[in-house]
C-alpha cells in the first residue's frame, strides 16, 4: 500500500514538473490530457497485479456468525402479551396488571382486584393455553 501511494505521489510530481516546462500555446491541452492519463494509469496499475482470488477467499472464509437475538425476541413477545392482555381486560372493565415469564415453565400471572373474573377473561383472550400456566392473584397479594 505504501509503495502504491509513493508511486502515485511520484507520478503527480513528475506530471506537475513537466507541466511547468510546457509552452502555453499549441498542443498544451493534449499534453495536459496525456499527463492526466499518466497519473490515472499509475493509480490503477497496481490493481492488475493484485491477488483477487486471495481476496475473494478471505471474504468467503469469514468467521463472523450472525447474532442470536432469540432471548431478546422472546422477552419482547412476553412484553407484548402482557400489554395485549392488560388492554383486553381493560376493555372488559377489569383493571389488571399482567406479568409473564418464559423459560421451562412459562407462566402468566394476572394481578387484579377481581382475580376470578380476570382469570376467566384472560383464559378467554388467550385461547389454547397448552403448556402455559395462567394464574390470577388479588392485587393485595402482588
Amino acid at each position: 500500500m505504501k509503495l502504491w501511494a509513493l508511486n502515485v505521489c511520484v507520478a503527480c510530481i513528475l506530471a506537475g514538473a513537466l507541466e511547468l516546462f510546457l509552452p502555453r500555446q499549441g498542443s498544451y491541452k493534449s499534453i495536459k490530457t496525456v499527463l492526466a492519463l499518466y497519473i490515472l494509469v499509475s493509480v490503477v496499475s497496481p490493481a492488475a497485479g493484485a491477488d483477487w482470488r486471495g481476496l475473494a477467499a478471505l471474504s468467503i472464509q469469514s468467521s463472523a456468525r450472525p447474532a442470536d437475538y432469540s432471548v431478546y425476541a422472546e422477552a419482547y413477545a412476553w412484553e407484548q402479551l402482557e400489554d395485549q392482555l392488560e388492554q383486553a381486560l381493560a376493555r372488559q372493565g377489569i383493571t389488571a396488571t399482567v406479568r409473564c415469564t418464559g423459560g421451562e415453565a412459562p407462566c402468566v400471572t394476572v394481578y387484579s382486584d377481581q382475580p376470578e373474573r380476570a382469570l376467566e377473561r384472560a383464559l378467554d383472550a388467550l385461547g389454547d393455553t397448552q403448556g402455559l400456566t395462567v394464574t390470577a392473584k388479588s392485587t393485595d397479594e402482588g
Side-chain angles (χ1 to χ4, degrees):
M1 191 69 164
K2 290 180 183 179
L3 183 62
W4 174 77
L6 179 66
N7 285 338
V8 171
C9 288
V10 168
C12 290
I13 291 170
L14 285 175
L18 286 173
E19 187 178 342
L20 288 175
F21 296 115
L22 289 176
R24 299 282 182 218
Q25 68 270 26
S27 60
Y28 177 74
K29 287 184 180 181
S30 50
I31 293 175
K32 195 169 179 178
T33 303
V34 169
L35 291 175
L37 286 173
Y38 170 69
I39 293 172
L40 285 174
V41 167
S42 68
V43 169
V44 177
S45 64
D51 181 19
W52 295 108
R53 291 182 185 179
L55 288 173
L58 285 175
S59 66
I60 292 172
Q61 297 173 355
S62 175
S63 62
R65 300 284 178 244
D68 181 18
Y69 293 107
S70 60
V71 173
Y72 172 77
E74 183 179 353
Y76 183 75
W78 287 117
E79 251 180 60
Q80 292 303 308
L81 179 62
E82 288 174 357
D83 291 344
Q84 290 176 9
L85 271 176
E86 286 177 5
Q87 291 172 10
L89 293 171
R91 283 192 296 269
Q92 297 184 20
I94 301 171
T95 303
T97 302
V98 179
R99 293 292 167 249
C100 298
T101 56
E104 294 291 320
C107 177
V108 174
T109 307
V110 180
Y111 297 95
S112 176
D113 55 352
Q114 307 170 36
E116 295 83 17
R117 186 168 172 236
L119 178 62
E120 182 183 318
R121 300 294 183 226
L123 287 170
D124 288 344
L126 288 170
D128 182 19
T129 58
Q130 185 177 16
L132 180 66
T133 304
V134 182
T135 58
K137 295 183 179 181
S138 175
T139 50
D140 298 334
E141 296 176 45

